[in-house]
């Protein structure tokens, strides 16, 4: 393999890993919700879209740098998720597993149509000087917005792990994931914990939306594609498995980048779906299994 081919391969791998970091962030939120509440949030991508449009609105109204929008979008996402769990999901009672499917699908439709009425159907973007900026590292061009997104992903996931394993709240979350009834008997308010967890999952989606905004166009149905990607990531890593979601995101990013470079960019999304189907056929519990339901 000549030098040019090696450089092209490294470029593709770096691009895939940085993109995969964003997928890992999206998938971690979905996996956390499943691990504790045992439900799939089918509106996950729509919450990502909310993060993108918050960033867009703040940029256009106050000329706020997209990354500073995290200070608004993350708390707003958490508050929205907390309220939705308390007002909608908690009322499903024993029908939570089945009812959450319809509830989150309905929420997704409400969110996407609200964004459509508010911002219109046209794709919209923000113009920042560093949107297309790169720097060279060992002959490989690295996108600055993608690198910032990757670093943001690392910070968010490290913060989540510190919360889960170094705080009393994290202990309560893990207890609720392992044995809700036992946690209740020990005085843990599992309903409150589930609301916090759903809020964290939505906040992760909103953070991902902010980090994506300098790179992509925002439109009301942009979240649909990312709901699919989040589901692929969680299946690849194992439903409810947080480390698995991180690895699954990186794997998906690399698969898409390699396929786009060596086969065709037109079928980028198809490569992840093929990997998803292969995992379902050969290892339905995911690459790492469903072990980290015990967050």
């Amino acid at each position: 393999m000549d030098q040019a081919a090696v450089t092209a391969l490294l470029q593709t791998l770096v691009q895939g890993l940085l993109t995969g970091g964003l997928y890992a962030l999206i998938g971690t939120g979905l996996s956390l919700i499943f691990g504790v509440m045992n439900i799939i949030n089918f509106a996950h991508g729509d919450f990502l879209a909310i993060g993108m449009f918050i960033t867009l609105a703040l940029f256009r109204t106050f000329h706020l740098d997209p990354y500073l929008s995290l200070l608004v979008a993350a708390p707003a996402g958490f508050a929205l998720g907390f309220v939705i769990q308390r007002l909608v999901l908690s009322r499903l009672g024993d029908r939570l597993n089945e009812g959450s499917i319809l509830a989150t699908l309905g929420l997704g439709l409400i969110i996407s149509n609200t964004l459509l009425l508010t911002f219109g159907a046209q794709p919209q973007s923000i113009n920042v000087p560093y949107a297309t900026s790169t720097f060279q590292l060992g002959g490989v061009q690295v996108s600055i917005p993608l690198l910032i997104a990757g670093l943001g992903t690392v910070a968010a996931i490290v913060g989540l792990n510190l919360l889960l394993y170094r705080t009393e709240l994290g202990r309560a979350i893990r207890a609720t994931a392992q044995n809700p009834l036992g946690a209740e008997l020990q005085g843990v308010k599992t309903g409150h914990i589930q609301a916090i967890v759903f809020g964290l999952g939505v906040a992760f989606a909103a953070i991902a939306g902010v980090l994506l905004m300098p790179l992509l166009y925002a439109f009301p149905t942009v979240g649909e594609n990312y709901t699919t990607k989040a589901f692929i990531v969680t299946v690849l890593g194992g439903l409810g498995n947080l480390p698995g979601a991180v690895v699954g995101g990186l794997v998906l990013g690399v698969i898409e980048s390699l396929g786009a470079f060596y086969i065709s960019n037109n079928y980028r999304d198809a490569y992840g779906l093929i990997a998803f189907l292969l995992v379902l056929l050969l290892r339905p519990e995911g690459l790492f299994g469903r072990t980290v339901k015990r967050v």
Side-chain angles (χ1 to χ4, degrees), residues 8-9 11-13 15-16 19 23 229 251-274:
L9 175 61
Q11 179 76 57
T12 304
L13 290 174
Q15 183 85 6
T19 304
Y23 294 162
K229 291 187 185 295
V251 168
L252 177 61
V254 169
I255 288 173
E256 287 187 352
S257 290
L258 289 174
F261 183 77
Y262 287 106
I263 303 174
S264 171
N265 192 48
N266 294 330
Y267 305 107
R268 173 181 287 268
D269 292 334
Y271 307 129
L273 288 172
I274 291 169

Side-chain angles (χ1 to χ4, degrees), residues 174-276:
R174 287 184 285 124
T176 302
Q178 290 175 5
N179 188 337
L181 179 58
E184 286 273 6
L185 294 174
Q186 293 298 317
V188 176
K189 297 179 179 178
T190 56
H192 185 71
I193 293 298
Q194 288 182 352
I196 290 175
V197 165
F198 199 81
L200 286 171
V202 172
F204 266 54
I207 291 169
V210 173
L211 296 176
L212 279 169
M213 195 60 223
L215 297 161
L216 299 176
Y217 287 91
F219 51 93
T221 56
V222 67
E224 294 176 0
N225 189 37
Y226 287 98
T227 297
T228 303
K229 291 187 185 295
F231 190 64
I232 291 173
V233 166
T234 56
V235 170
L236 287 176
L239 286 168
N241 188 320
L242 297 186
V246 175
V247 176
L250 296 175
V251 168
L252 177 61
V254 169
I255 288 173
E256 287 187 352
S257 290
L258 289 174
F261 183 77
Y262 287 106
I263 303 174
S264 171
N265 192 48
N266 294 330
Y267 305 107
R268 173 181 287 268
D269 292 334
Y271 307 129
L273 288 172
I274 291 169
F276 167 74

Side-chain angles (χ1 to χ4, degrees), residues 1-270:
M1 187 179 290
D2 60 26
Q3 184 63 37
V6 171
T7 301
L9 175 61
L10 289 175
Q11 179 76 57
T12 304
L13 290 174
V14 168
Q15 183 85 6
L17 288 171
L18 291 176
T19 304
L22 274 170
Y23 294 162
L25 181 62
I26 301 165
T28 296
L30 188 66
S31 195
L32 176 66
I33 291 171
F34 183 87
V36 177
M37 300 177 64
N38 203 33
I39 65 171
I40 295 292
N41 175 19
F42 286 95
H44 200 68
D46 296 289
F47 292 122
L48 178 146
I50 288 177
M52 295 183 77
F53 277 101
I54 286 175
T55 306
L56 178 70
L58 290 175
F59 180 81
R60 289 186 172 174
T61 306
F62 303 107
H63 304 289
L64 188 67
D65 185 270
Y67 298 118
L68 292 179
S69 300
L70 286 168
L71 300 175
V72 177
F78 176 82
L80 179 61
F82 188 95
V83 169
I84 286 173
Q85 198 283 332
R86 298 304 284 174
L87 295 183
V88 180
L89 299 178
S90 66
R91 298 178 184 273
L92 296 175
D94 295 335
R95 297 166 297 173
L96 178 62
N97 289 346
E98 301 82 9
S100 63
I101 297 173
L102 293 177
T104 55
L105 283 172
L107 283 168
L109 288 172
I110 291 170
I111 291 169
S112 60
N113 281 281
T114 301
L115 293 174
L116 176 64
L117 290 171
T118 306
F119 295 96
Q122 294 301 315
Q124 301 175 67
S125 63
I126 55 178
N127 296 314
V128 287
Y130 51 79
T132 57
S133 298
T134 62
F135 69 93
Q136 192 161 339
L137 182 65
V140 174
Q141 294 291 327
V142 180
S143 165
I144 288 178
L146 261 182
L147 180 62
I148 294 173
L151 294 174
T153 296
V154 171
I157 291 174
V158 169
L160 177 63
N161 276 275
L162 290 175
L163 172 69
L164 290 175
Y165 295 103
R166 299 293 178 88
T167 67
E168 288 299 318
L169 174 59
R171 183 179 299 177
I173 290 172
R174 287 184 285 124
T176 302
Q178 290 175 5
N179 188 337
L181 179 58
E184 286 273 6
L185 294 174
Q186 293 298 317
V188 176
K189 297 179 179 178
T190 56
H192 185 71
I193 293 298
Q194 288 182 352
I196 290 175
V197 165
F198 199 81
L200 286 171
V202 172
F204 266 54
I207 291 169
V210 173
L211 296 176
L212 279 169
M213 195 60 223
L215 297 161
L216 299 176
Y217 287 91
F219 51 93
T221 56
V222 67
E224 294 176 0
N225 189 37
Y226 287 98
T227 297
T228 303
K229 291 187 185 295
F231 190 64
I232 291 173
V233 166
T234 56
V235 170
L236 287 176
L239 286 168
N241 188 320
L242 297 186
V246 175
V247 176
L250 296 175
V251 168
L252 177 61
V254 169
I255 288 173
E256 287 187 352
S257 290
L258 289 174
F261 183 77
Y262 287 106
I263 303 174
S264 171
N265 192 48
N266 294 330
Y267 305 107
R268 173 181 287 268
D269 292 334

